[in-house]
Amino acid sequence: MAPVLVLWLAMCLGATWAVDRGNFKTCDQSAFCKRQRALKPGDSPYRALLETMELTNTRLTLQLINDNNKVRLLLELYRLQGNITRVKINELKPLKPRYEVPDVLIRDPPTEPLSVLSQDESGVVLSLGAESQRVIVSVRPFRLDIMEGHDVLMSLNSRGLLAFEHLRMRKDTRADPEAEKKEEADSADQAEATKEEEEKAEEGMWEETFKSHSDSKPNGPSSISLDFSFPGVEHVYGIPEHADDLKLKTTDNGDPYRLFNLDVFQYELYNPMALYGAVPVMLAHNAQRTTGIFWLNAAETWVDISSNTAGKTVFGKMLDYVQGSSEIPQTDVRWISESGIIDVFIMLGPTPKHVFSQYASLTGTQSFPPLASLGYHQCRWNYNDQEDVRSVDAGFDEYDIPYDFIWLDIEHTDGKRYFTWDPHKFATPKEMLQGLLDKKRKMVAIVDPHIKIDSNYKIHNEIRSRGFYVKNKDGGDYEGWCWPGNAGYPDFTRADMRAWWASMFAYDQYEGSMENLYTWNDMNEPSVFNGPEVTMHKDAVHGDWENRDVHNIYGLYVQMATAEGLVQRSGGVERPFVLTRAFFAGSQRYGAVWTGDNAAEWDHLKISIPMCLSLGLVGISFCGADVGGFFKSPTPELLVRWYQTGAYQPFFRAHAHLDTPRREPWLFGPENTALIREAIRQRYTFLPYWYQQFYHAYRTGEPVMRPLWVEYTQDPATFAVDDEFLIGQNLLVHPVTEEGARGVTAYLPGKEEVWFDIHTFQKHNGAQNLYIPVTMSSIPVFQRGGSIIPRKMRVRRSSSCMEHDPYTLYAALNARGVAEGELYMDDGHTFNYEKKEFIHRRLSFSNNVLSSVNLVPDSHFTTNSWIERIVLIGSSKPAKVTLKTADGIESQLEFDFDASMSVVTVRKPGMNAGADWTVTLE
Amino acid sequence: NKMLSSEMWIHILAIALFCCGSADSRKVRGISSSYKRFYREKKSFLCIDGSKLIPFEQVNDDYCDCADGSDEPGTSACPHGRFYCTNLGFRPHYIPSSRVNDGICDCCDASDEYNSHARCQNTCWNLGQRERAYVEGQMRTLDEGLRLKQQLIEEGVLLWREKQAQLRELQQVAEDLQIKLEEHRRKKREADRFKEQTLRALKGGDGGKSFHLKNKTLGGILICLFCNPYSISLDEVKAEVVPVHDEERHLGDDEAMVLTTTESAKTNRTLTCVLAHLLNTNKKFTVQGIKKVSFCWVLICDLQKKLAIDYGTDWEFLFLNGQCYKLKVYEYMYTLCPFNHITQKSTAGTEVSLGLWGMWAEPAKNRYNQMIYENGEPCWQGGSRSTTVTLTCGTETALRSVKEPSKCQYIMDFQTPVACQPVLKQRGVHSEL
């Protein structure tokens, strides 16, 4: 109990500063969650009607009946290519259509044939393709069990928590006698249903009030729920966004994890409260298998997690083990959503990488970002005027610190009218942008989705006249308070609205914009200062649907339309860069996300790791946290440590609140300036590796920043690690996130592995906890033995300035003297990579020969870059080193040997980075 | 220290051509003449830090051999190297090696982009021209500024003396009055004695005329300016004064306030003296009398406060006290009243204090180039507004710019001849090869 008490105390103390929890609903305050959670596990009232079963080549359909109210549901079951099973459940005859989330799946997922293996009155056994996988449909009570061999991988409704609130007419105020008649004349089933159903009109079904806000609920109760069980699983992950540990906790003694996009002011850590984004994807992992659930629903969603081993102490578990009386560990989860249908994709792995690829086949992969966006971003709310921008830009040159993007927050606009510039402070934006362009640098300006209601504002007038605003429940334009005061919210769920929005980014529409100006979408949950829970009223109307149905996907649409605008303005040539705060499943296709308004506190630095790891697991690789912390002012030590951490996280941006003192890297004395400079420079030397990782993420859906267990799937010691992480497979980072740290203990995974300190080349064995003494300049990073990492060691003032620079190859040999890696390059900013205009090579070292071979022979791209140095880490001393180029010419290369660390440095081999070659050690 | 004559320029150019013609241009790329001795063509090259001996061919071969970067002065190969821009016609300087061939023109002679796509023009002559014009302008400004400063110093000295004289005069008056007051007291005592005697003798006769201090009171009060320490609150002031005047009328809050306007303990102390003296010397003192007294006292106090500020080694900043300077930036009007306060007034009309005179930023070093104003209007997130005023040399005294880099922290650029320093005199355009 002690740790719980400490946690509780910490939370109470934290509350003096942090979020006003009262502004946000608990499950108890959310009527549908309360209703659903009141339902306890037990026998399900649902029964499968086998006589209604239809099996076509691509799907099985089957009706389910609720024996309590006789309402029928339609179950659809699909086998999808790539080891995915899709289960859809909707009302057989809903009163009106229920929302099915569009635009998230990248296509209609291709199916595979299903076949019946056996059938009797108690159920059906279906084969799930070639592997020995089967799904068992049990009739009474209805449940689904997915098996492989003798193992149950996952069960649905095994706890009887399938609950489907069917749409109904309101009884107490049934004003329309026509409708009544019509309903009476309805099918026999339906009549039966309405009669049988002695439904209690519970509070909150037809109307709900939270604080001063009332939700009219014209459609009445419509929530859905389903439970999933994972036998043999003790670790589940995902369902971002929460400021919590990587490994999800059980929720028996508190609220479920909530998925509902919200602008949370000064969010608290280590709790299941909803934040800015929602990705309803959960991964379940044990040493044998990884599986995933994708719950495609955009309404407010709560996820309950329980486990039969969670309460047990290590001793208890050991006792179980010794006594052999252990029940199989099992994790049970339950999903509850306010509206829509049950549409769930069961990704059966079996490895984490299979799950990533399965999820990517549904929702797409991370967009391939422009290379420059992987550099360092300097942001602040706000750089005051053009002179301010110029002097900060000059500061980076003066202190010789590289950066690629400088950012402008809301104050750059003319009175918070997006797409405009303050006429005094930013009178000549093109001049400013040209100044940055001259130094090969770029800018991001904010464009939020709330539009100032002002008849002199072109954007507002156009949206209003085209009827593009979200409507309120009474049919008028929905209005809410945000930065500009009274604002309208464009209906981004409409394709025509998005097309219009995209057209506003054309150079002739967005005055003062240039090709080096990119975009940031903030407040797109959407944030409504005077709305319930600081967001839009759920009964606001988006075409045929309520905000209730579409809420969590609104932010995705904003970023989608914006990214499309940036693509279109260049005629489809240039890659966009758009940062978003709100997100949903599929947001990875449109750009980067950040973890919102964090604070300058050590715990916020720590939490940035699990928050970005969780996002990576569900496809969103381009993640970062505000370096330094948004609210409050960091101590120099915290700021330095944050730069050191951020330099090894995917999206690397410093940001600060308007009310905080300046904190550009050079404002904390020469020592801290040097430390920050060094951290940023390390980032730039690794840009070729980052870029290759992002190309890989774009191709495969694998996360760039990943938890250790993704690579070391069988090592339970890695399963809950979230104070360190991997970048790709080859870099392990354990940033210092403790104040006054003298050392950190890093877990180096892999029995077979060796790890090399990237700074000293010192070798460490895998599968050990390694204590690393640290100073202020330490960033503990290790390269995996067996890998080759290309770097560019000539750090210049921006990534574009380094385009033609030569590479240094760092080959760290494993115990068998082997290493492998990849080298990827292209123009860095266009879509020409889609036309194979790139160089992608495999680098491998074995039998004392390092070679570079083309991975994609029909690719075509040329580079001036060459190989300036090869560093062989963990190598013995060769007698000579010989280069053989593609034309067969051999030449001797000079080299150095450092005996203390066993490092061979080959001097200036000089071959073109795009060519075939071998380097032989003899 | 005047500008180089055109003949000299031609001379320098000739030397430059000669040098470049005679040396291996690849090897000398990126070094200054003072470093040439390290790069004399030999078989080998010793890194300047002495750490390594390498074949001379490896100097500027686009691979970093020396830890100190000294083998690659002309390429971008070394992470901490530097490249020397000769910039003939302008100012030579070093740039980080990372700016060599990065596609951005850094040296005005274009020498840093000898192998890049950037098409750099040699702009040194133009820059030099502009720089020379600028420097000439600066020097004219400086000369003029120093001349004006000298005037202001002289005026400042006069002003200082004047003020000191005023103070001395007042002190003299005080002393004089002290003596007179003693005389009055003596006379009063005699008169009282006489009165008593007379009363006793005449029993209820006409009595002595009441003693009238009027203007003469000032003397006694001023003496107290320098008398024993004591402190008193507003209430005490009223309590002590009121009984004295109860027959006439109560001392209003305003009047008591006049007496306690000044914040410092010193003030209260002197004030108390005044009152104590009043109470001791004359029971018929009038409210008008107190007002006059306190007004006189405020003048003196003010003068003393003014004279307590550090106005520079030659009192050159003294003339700024009492002046105010305005500047409009976007929607705000800023007013700087040196040694007093700074305000910001929005077009809507609300005025906000950005700070009261605090101190010189580096008083200990006798450097008078930055003023700090603090304790302005409180900020929303805590703390209060403050302003740092940087003084720069110019021929006019004016507020040049105002910025708010962080919330509630303002910086101002204030130009004045008295900020001109002879050491600032530019060295002119260099022409080192």
Side-chain angles (χ1 to χ4, degrees):
Chain A
M1 280 311 283
V4 177
L5 186 69
V6 170
L7 190 71
W8 179 82
L9 269 173
M11 280 159 78
C12 289
L13 292 173
T16 54
W17 171 76
V19 63
D20 182 358
R21 280 181 177 236
N23 285 334
F24 302 101
K25 289 183 185 178
T26 60
C27 177
D28 243 18
Q29 290 167 319
S30 186
F32 78 92
C33 188
K34 187 180 180 183
R35 281 200 304 276
Q36 289 278 8
R37 230 187 174 202
L39 197 66
K40 298 297 175 199
D43 278 348
S44 175
Y46 284 98
R47 178 163 53 90
L49 302 171
L50 279 189
E51 64 277 16
T52 64
M53 187 173 88
E54 287 174 38
L55 182 67
T56 68
N57 199 27
T58 59
R59 71 168 186 174
L60 172 134
T61 60
L62 181 65
Q63 291 180 22
L64 309 176
I65 190 162
N66 180 335
D67 280 328
N68 293 341
N69 62 13
K70 303 294 180 236
V71 176
R72 291 190 183 202
L73 304 179
L74 181 69
L75 166 79
E76 295 172 71
L77 207 134
Y78 301 82
R79 175 65 180 179
L80 305 182
Q81 282 177 19
N83 206 9
I84 305 168
T85 298
R86 181 181 193 177
V87 177
K88 258 175 106 164
I89 303 175
N90 196 355
E91 290 180 59
L92 181 64
K93 288 178 182 167
L95 214 53
K96 55 186 274 190
R98 297 180 66 118
Y99 185 65
E100 299 188 31
V101 185
D103 301 311
V104 168
L105 300 179
I106 50 173
R107 56 180 172 172
D108 259 346
T111 54
E112 282 177 349
L114 276 169
S115 57
V116 174
L117 290 176
S118 66
Q119 179 178 353
D120 59 23
E121 69 277 8
S122 67
V124 189
V125 180
L126 298 161
S127 162
L128 291 175
E131 293 174 65
S132 60
Q133 288 179 355
R134 306 177 304 287
V135 55
I136 299 167
V137 183
S138 305
V139 168
R140 186 198 289 265
F142 163 73
R143 63 182 271 174
L144 296 173
D145 292 277
I146 296 168
M147 313 267 304
E148 186 176 288
H150 297 293
D151 298 328
V152 178
L153 303 181
M154 197 185 298
S155 304
L156 284 69
N157 200 32
S158 58
R159 292 192 298 148
L161 294 170
L162 168 62
F164 211 108
E165 292 182 329
H166 60 281
L167 299 178
R168 62 201 78 182
M169 300 300 290
R170 187 165 188 171
K171 291 210 172 117
D172 51 347
T173 56
R174 203 179 277 170
D176 183 3
E178 289 301 310
E180 205 171 336
K181 275 181 206 156
K182 198 176 153 199
E183 194 186 314
E184 275 167 14
D186 218 322
S187 74
D189 282 348
Q190 199 65 43
E192 183 190 16
T194 44
K195 273 181 199 140
E196 288 273 336
E197 185 185 341
E198 286 303 319
E199 151 208 314
K200 292 167 280 172
E202 280 180 56
E203 210 183 321
M205 277 186 163
W206 295 93
E207 197 168 19
E208 185 173 350
T209 306
F210 178 67
K211 303 193 97 176
S212 61
H213 302 283
S214 96
D215 174 4
S216 64
K217 297 200 174 179
N219 297 321
S222 60
S223 72
I224 54 171
S225 158
L226 182 60
D227 64 274
F228 301 80
S229 293
F230 301 96
V233 168
E234 291 179 274
H235 293 82
V236 288
Y237 309 95
I239 54 168
E241 181 176 37
H242 300 100
D244 207 347
D245 295 333
L246 174 66
K247 173 190 177 339
L248 297 171
K249 295 169 183 150
T250 57
T251 57
D252 302 318
N253 300 318
D255 259 7
Y257 283 97
R258 188 183 190 199
L259 293 172
F260 189 57
N261 293 359
L262 290 176
D263 178 4
V264 182
F265 181 73
Q266 296 183 334
Y267 62 78
E268 257 179 66
L269 308 184
Y270 303 108
N271 71 55
M273 286 172 73
L275 286 178
Y276 313 94
V279 184
V281 175
M282 181 186 279
L283 274 66
H285 177 74
N286 65 20
Q288 287 76 47
R289 181 180 279 272
T290 310
T291 57
I293 294 173
F294 170 30
W295 175 268
L296 180 50
N297 188 301
E300 179 184 344
T301 296
W302 299 78
V303 184
D304 253 324
I305 299 169
S306 58
S307 156
N308 60 355
T309 54
K312 288 191 181 166
T313 60
V314 174
F315 178 75
K317 283 184 190 174
M318 270 173 61
L319 206 65
D320 281 349
Y321 179 78
V322 172
Q323 294 172 343
S325 68
S326 169
E327 56 181 324
I328 299 167
Q330 176 166 315
T331 297
D332 298 315
V333 300
R334 178 194 190 183
W335 296 70
I336 303 166
S337 290
E338 186 174 10
S339 67
I341 65 163
I342 292 173
D343 188 1
V344 56
F345 298 80
I346 296 162
M347 302 173 285
L348 291 170
T351 69
K353 286 176 190 177
H354 286 110
V355 175
F356 300 141
S357 120
Q358 285 152 4
Y359 181 62
S361 75
L362 299 170
T363 66
T365 59
Q366 176 67 53
S367 63
F368 190 31
L371 172 59
S373 65
L374 299 177
Y376 171 63
H377 298 258
Q378 181 66 38
C379 186
R380 175 178 176 80
W381 175 24
N382 215 97
Y383 288 119
N384 294 335
D385 50 26
Q386 289 181 207
E387 170 56 24
D388 200 357
V389 169
R390 196 204 57 73
S391 78
V392 172
D393 176 75
F396 278 92
D397 287 343
E398 186 185 344
Y399 294 94
D400 197 19
I401 298 171
Y403 89 96
D404 272 84
F405 283 80
I406 186 162
W407 291 52
L408 295 180
D409 208 323
I410 52 174
E411 311 296 332
H412 84 277
T413 59
D414 180 7
K416 318 295 188 295
R417 294 169 185 87
Y418 304 106
F419 301 101
T420 70
W421 304 83
D422 184 296
H424 305 294
K425 295 166 183 167
F426 294 91
T428 54
K430 282 193 178 181
E431 229 170 75
M432 168 178 65
L433 288 164
Q434 186 62 49
L436 293 169
L437 194 62
D438 289 344
K439 289 200 197 155
K440 303 193 179 186
R441 286 172 178 154
K442 300 163 184 16
M443 173 171 266
V444 170
I446 200 164
V447 176
D448 286 352
H450 49 258
I451 302 298
K452 187 178 175 71
I453 294 177
D454 168 9
S455 58
N456 293 316
Y457 178 26
K458 180 186 87 171
I459 298 284
H460 163 71
N461 289 337
E462 291 237 4
I463 295 173
R464 173 157 283 181
S465 69
R466 287 163 198 257
F468 279 160
Y469 277 125
V470 173
K471 303 291 185 284
N472 60 35
K473 66 178 164 50
D474 304 316
D477 284 349
Y478 180 89
E479 291 181 10
W481 280 87
C482 209
W483 297 124
N486 209 20
Y489 292 78
D491 188 354
F492 283 91
T493 66
R494 289 175 62 162
D496 53 354
M497 158 61 210
R498 293 197 301 272
W500 174 83
W501 178 266
S503 75
M504 288 298 101
F505 288 89
Y507 295 120
D508 58 349
Q509 291 290 333
Y510 189 167
E511 279 174 43
S513 68
M514 278 180 36
E515 65 271 25
N516 63 336
L517 179 69
Y518 296 81
T519 311
W520 170 18
N521 294 148
D522 195 0
M523 316 296 279
N524 53 337
E525 296 75 27
S527 178
V528 181
F529 292 161
N530 59 339
E533 302 191 82
V534 202
T535 191
M536 192 172 273
H537 290 73
K538 281 181 173 170
D539 53 12
V541 177
H542 304 250
D544 293 333
W545 307 106
E546 287 184 285
N547 184 261
R548 188 186 326 280
D549 305 306
V550 305
H551 181 86
N552 283 349
I553 198 177
Y554 184 85
L556 173 143
Y557 278 131
V558 175
Q559 194 190 18
M560 177 198 249
T562 304
E564 184 55 31
L566 296 194
V567 174
Q568 278 176 17
R569 69 175 186 180
S570 71
V573 173
E574 297 288 330
R575 288 175 231 170
F577 172 76
V578 182
L579 178 73
T580 182
R581 192 170 70 181
F583 51 82
F584 188 64
S587 285
Q588 68 269 20
R589 305 195 297 263
Y590 308 111
V593 306
W594 94 107
T595 61
D597 299 344
N598 61 359
E601 295 176 349
W602 288 91
D603 275 351
H604 274 269
L605 168 58
K606 284 184 198 115
I607 206 82
S608 71
I609 300 173
M611 287 181 82
C612 280
L613 286 175
S614 296
L615 276 164
L617 289 175
V618 300
I620 299 176
S621 266
F622 206 0
C623 168
D626 285 346
V627 169
F630 177 66
F631 291 112
K632 307 172 100 180
S633 197
T635 60
E637 184 190 359
L638 175 59
L639 187 66
V640 167
R641 291 302 189 198
W642 213 317
Y643 269 100
Q644 293 174 339
T645 304
Y648 287 91
Q649 289 176 348
F651 176 57
F652 182 25
R653 182 186 73 151
H655 188 33
H657 190 277
L658 184 70
D659 289 323
T660 61
R662 287 281 170 138
R663 56 169 96 138
E664 283 69 47
W666 49 86
L667 294 177
F668 301 89
E671 278 175 29
N672 291 311
T673 303
L675 291 168
I676 294 171
R677 177 196 294 121
E678 173 56 23
I680 299 177
R681 288 175 66 98
Q682 283 184 32
R683 168 61 164 232
Y684 276 76
T685 65
F686 277 109
L687 281 179
Y689 182 68
W690 279 106
Y691 196 50
Q692 180 225 316
Q693 290 307 313
F694 268 91
Y695 182 69
H696 188 72
Y698 154 73
R699 298 283 298 183
T700 65
E702 286 174 25
V704 170
M705 174 178 168
R706 54 183 76 159
L708 270 56
W709 65 262
V710 165
E711 294 295 331
Y712 300 90
T713 55
Q714 295 179 27
D715 180 356
T718 65
F719 292 177
V721 171
D722 63 4
D723 58 352
E724 62 183 59
F725 55 89
L726 294 162
I727 301 165
Q729 294 184 312
N730 300 334
L731 280 184
L732 183 143
V733 186
H734 189 114
V736 181
T737 57
E738 294 282 346
E739 185 171 17
R742 298 278 186 84
V744 298
T745 301
Y747 181 69
L748 301 181
K751 269 188 201 125
E752 313 284 303
E753 301 282 23
V754 289
W755 295 90
F756 294 93
D757 185 310
I758 63 158
H759 310 290
T760 63
F761 303 132
Q762 195 182 341
K763 182 177 171 176
H764 304 282
N765 290 322
Q768 67 155 327
N769 282 302
L770 179 70
Y771 179 79
I772 306 147
V774 298
T775 63
M776 269 316 290
S777 65
S778 306
I779 317 177
V781 180
F782 301 89
Q783 181 176 350
R784 190 176 58 84
S787 68
I788 302 175
I789 294 181
R791 295 171 72 179
K792 284 188 174 180
M793 306 310 285
R794 303 185 182 191
V795 176
R796 305 197 190 241
R797 71 191 118 187
S798 72
S799 66
S800 307
C801 292
M802 295 162 65
E803 185 184 351
H804 305 293
D805 278 346
Y807 291 88
T808 295
L809 305 180
Y810 285 84
L813 310 189
N814 65 12
R816 286 168 288 123
V818 170
E820 278 211 347
E822 289 177 25
L823 176 62
Y824 175 88
M825 74 189 88
D826 59 22
D827 64 25
H829 58 95
T830 72
F831 281 107
N832 293 346
Y833 65 89
E834 290 176 347
K835 297 181 274 181
K836 297 202 173 171
E837 288 186 26
F838 56 71
I839 290 168
H840 194 186
R841 307 193 68 85
R842 172 167 304 288
L843 306 167
S844 50
F845 183 86
S846 63
N847 301 320
N848 284 328
V849 180
L850 177 64
S851 63
S852 168
V853 296
N854 197 344
L855 271 172
V856 186
D858 59 341
S859 62
H860 43 98
F861 186 73
T862 53
T863 180
N864 293 327
S865 294
W866 47 285
I867 310 294
E868 74 170 327
R869 192 183 295 108
I870 297 166
V871 182
L872 291 154
I873 309 161
S875 166
S876 50
K877 186 179 181 179
K880 65 173 184 176
V881 178
T882 315
L883 167 70
K884 189 173 175 185
T885 50
D887 50 17
I889 296 170
E890 291 194 9
S891 52
Q892 290 253 24
L893 299 176
E894 285 176 46
F895 64 90
D896 269 342
F897 182 69
D898 172 0
S900 67
M901 292 292 165
S902 301
V903 177
V904 177
T905 303
V906 180
R907 185 186 192 280
K908 208 183 176 190
M911 57 284 195
N912 185 283
D916 288 336
W917 48 264
T918 59
V919 169
T920 307
L921 274 65
E922 286 166 60
Chain B
N1 260 345
K2 276 289 161 193
M3 299 311 305
L4 291 165
S5 68
S6 53
E7 294 102 290
M8 271 183 82
W9 281 112
I10 291 164
H11 188 64
I12 288 161
L13 185 65
I15 294 167
L17 289 170
F18 175 76
C19 287
C20 297
S22 66
D24 181 344
S25 64
R26 186 176 73 89
K27 298 302 180 199
V28 297
R29 180 172 274 145
I31 57 168
S32 71
S33 56
S34 56
Y35 273 83
K36 266 194 173 161
R37 60 198 169 91
F38 295 110
Y39 296 89
R40 281 195 200 104
E41 185 119 26
K42 278 179 287 190
K43 274 209 167 142
S44 54
F45 172 82
L46 182 66
C47 301
I48 292 178
D49 66 2
S51 61
K52 203 171 173 183
L53 195 66
I54 60 171
F56 199 83
E57 300 84 69
Q58 291 185 8
V59 171
N60 274 346
D61 72 338
D62 207 14
Y63 184 88
C64 191
D65 292 288
C66 298
D68 66 353
S70 59
D71 63 317
E72 297 294 319
T75 76
S76 59
C78 290
H80 303 293
R82 55 183 199 164
F83 178 91
Y84 184 77
C85 307
T86 304
N87 288 351
L88 195 61
F90 186 54
R91 194 186 298 116
H93 71 115
Y94 282 101
I95 59 168
S97 288
S98 64
R99 293 178 198 174
V100 174
N101 292 325
D102 67 347
I104 299 167
C105 310
D106 290 288
C107 306
C108 64
D109 63 4
S111 57
D112 60 319
E113 296 299 314
Y114 58 87
N115 187 19
S116 84
H117 298 296
R119 288 199 210 100
C120 302
Q121 308 287 321
N122 187 325
T123 56
C124 292
W125 285 102
N126 282 340
L127 281 177
Q129 215 86 42
R130 231 187 296 161
E131 174 86 354
R132 280 188 289 280
Y134 174 77
V135 169
E136 270 172 54
Q138 285 291 93
M139 285 167 68
R140 268 199 304 275
T141 301
L142 186 59
D143 287 345
E144 175 66 6
L146 287 171
R147 195 183 61 74
L148 290 168
K149 182 179 179 179
Q150 198 49 46
Q151 273 180 21
L152 289 165
I153 287 174
E154 282 161 22
E155 284 170 25
V157 170
L158 289 178
L159 202 58
W160 178 259
R161 285 185 189 147
E162 198 181 299
K163 300 272 177 195
Q164 290 288 0
Q166 270 177 23
L167 193 63
R168 269 198 306 278
E169 208 174 301
L170 288 168
Q171 286 167 346
Q172 191 54 53
V173 170
E175 273 172 41
D176 291 353
L177 289 175
Q178 167 81 30
I179 293 160
K180 283 182 185 167
L181 188 72
E182 291 298 324
E183 179 75 1
H184 277 295
R185 275 187 182 152
R186 194 180 52 77
K187 279 183 180 168
K188 187 174 177 274
R189 275 196 298 276
E190 277 170 19
D192 285 351
R193 235 188 341 262
F194 178 71
K195 196 167 126 189
E196 244 173 90
Q197 285 169 355
T198 315
L199 278 173
R200 233 180 287 140
L202 300 176
K203 285 248 178 193
D206 193 35
K209 297 266 177 199
S210 60
F211 189 82
H212 237 284
L213 262 177
K214 283 186 183 167
N215 291 343
K216 288 166 194 162
T217 334
L218 188 61
I221 289 153
L222 287 174
I223 294 157
C224 273
L225 284 174
F226 311 99
C227 73
N228 53 324
Y230 196 98
S231 98
I232 191 166
S233 73
L234 180 62
D235 287 342
E236 286 172 287
V237 170
K238 282 165 92 178
E240 289 199 53
V241 173
V242 169
V244 182
H245 306 287
D246 52 1
E247 324 96 78
E248 299 190 19
R249 66 184 176 91
H250 277 253
L251 189 66
D253 264 355
D254 289 353
E255 286 154 335
M257 280 306 287
V258 170
L259 296 172
T260 51
T261 348
T262 39
E263 324 84 327
S264 71
K266 189 179 89 185
T267 316
N268 281 334
R269 195 191 309 149
T270 47
L271 182 62
T272 314
C273 290
V274 170
L275 290 164
H277 198 80
L278 283 172
L279 294 168
N280 290 341
T281 53
N282 195 324
K283 304 248 171 189
K284 296 263 172 102
F285 203 75
T286 63
V287 171
Q288 283 77 9
I290 294 177
K291 274 187 175 174
K292 271 184 198 164
V293 164
S294 52
F295 177 70
C296 289
W297 174 79
V298 165
L299 276 182
I300 302 226
C301 174
D302 209 39
L303 190 58
Q304 281 188 313
K305 249 172 82 182
K306 248 182 166 176
L307 292 176
I309 293 173
D310 179 357
Y311 292 104
T313 41
D314 301 317
W315 300 291
E316 65 268 33
F317 295 99
L318 182 60
F319 81 102
L320 292 172
N321 196 340
Q323 310 288 319
C324 290
Y325 303 89
K326 289 179 184 296
L327 182 69
K328 192 166 189 291
V329 182
Y330 304 132
E331 67 265 42
Y332 294 109
M333 175 64 79
Y334 294 87
T335 306
L336 163 65
C337 304
F339 304 106
N340 287 303
H341 61 265
I342 302 176
T343 60
Q344 178 200 53
K345 194 170 181 178
S346 72
T347 38
T350 47
E351 194 167 61
V352 165
S353 167
L354 303 188
L356 305 170
W357 163 252
M359 58 190 161
W360 292 100
E362 294 175 291
K365 295 183 186 167
N366 256 4
R367 286 177 60 188
Y368 299 93
N369 53 9
Q370 235 172 33
M371 297 168 151
I372 293 172
Y373 293 77
E374 50 206 2
N375 299 318
E377 196 86 357
C379 291
W380 182 66
Q381 285 262 328
S384 60
R385 287 168 174 77
S386 64
T387 306
T388 303
V389 180
T390 302
L391 281 71
T392 54
C393 170
T395 53
E396 286 172 5
T397 298
L399 188 53
R400 289 298 184 202
S401 77
V402 182
K403 287 177 195 163
E404 188 188 3
S406 303
K407 204 77 182 168
C408 295
Q409 293 176 5
Y410 296 80
I411 52 174
M412 290 185 163
D413 180 13
F414 181 58
Q415 212 177 59
T416 172
V418 286
C420 297
Q421 295 293 338
V423 286
L424 267 178
K425 271 206 168 186
Q426 301 276 329
R427 290 149 298 175
V429 175
H430 282 242
S431 53
E432 194 194 339
L433 294 181

